[in-house]
Amino acid sequence: MNRSAPSHRLPPAGGGAAKRLVMFLHGVGARGDDLEPLADLWRAALPDAAMSFPDAPEPFDQAPFGRQWFSVTGVTEANRPQRVAAAAPAFDRVLAEELAWAGVVPEALILVGFSQGSIMSLDAVATGRWRPAAVVAYAGRLSRPPAPGVATTTPLLLVHGAADPVIPVRETEQAAVALRGAGFSVDVRIEPGIDHTITPAGAQAGLAFLKATLGSAP
C-alpha cells in the first residue's frame, strides 16, 4: 500500500539538526495532529528532538473522516493479530519516511502511541522489526506475543485508564507481563477512574519517563 496521507512535522525546539525524532501515532478514526497537544507540553523539555504526527495510511472505513492503521470493522481477538501483521509494512514505511525527514537513525526514534497507535508501536518492538530509543504507549494492547529471541533494549512505558471501556486495562497488564517475560524493561502506570484518553497526569508521566530514560545521550 502506498502512503497517501500527510504528516505534520515540527523541527527541534532548540534549533539546529535533530538528534532524536519523537513520532506521535494516533488512534483509529483520528488524525496525526490530534496528538499535537502532547508536543506542546514536551518540546521545551526535549529541545534536540524533531517531532512528527503522521496520518495513518488508510482512510477510516467507518466515517468520511479520520485515518486508521488497520480496520476494526469485524475485528475479533482471533483476527486482530493478522490485521496488525498485514498493516505492519505500511506502518514501517511511515516510520522510515519520518526518519528520513528528520535525518536521524532508527535507534534515535521515540514512539508515542495512543490506542491503535500504541498497538502498532508495541507490535513493532515485540516482533523485533524496530529497536527505538523508547516507547510510550497510552491505552494500548499487545496483539501478538514477543518474538523468540527479540532484542529487548527498548524501554517501555505503558499508561492506561482503569475505567477504559474501549481497550480494557487488563490488556496493558497482560502486555506488561508478556514483555517483561521476554526481557523488556517495562514501566506501568494505571490511572484510577480514567477512561480511553490521555490525561494531563499521563502526559506528564510520559515526559518524565522520556527524560529519565534518554538523559543527555543522542
Side-chain angles (χ1 to χ4, degrees), residues 103-201:
V104 300
V105 297
E107 292 76 16
L109 175 64
I110 299 158
L111 298 178
V112 180
F114 173 68
S115 194
Q116 196 175 82
S118 290
I119 293 171
M120 297 304 301
S121 298
L122 292 176
D123 184 73
V125 172
T127 58
R129 305 192 324 272
W130 294 86
R131 302 179 187 179
V135 172
V136 180
Y138 292 98
R141 59 163 36 105
L142 188 64
S143 63
R144 45 184 171 168
V150 66
T152 59
T153 54
T154 300
L156 312 171
L157 171 64
L158 313 183
V159 183
H160 213 125
D164 190 335
V166 179
I167 299 180
V169 67
R170 67 173 179 273
E171 295 289 349
T172 274
E173 296 167 341
Q174 292 169 356
V177 170
L179 291 162
R180 286 170 176 158
F184 285 93
S185 173
V186 184
D187 290 352
V188 177
R189 178 185 175 93
I190 305 300
E191 298 187 290
I194 300 301
D195 59 11
H196 196 64
T197 190
I198 300 175
T199 65

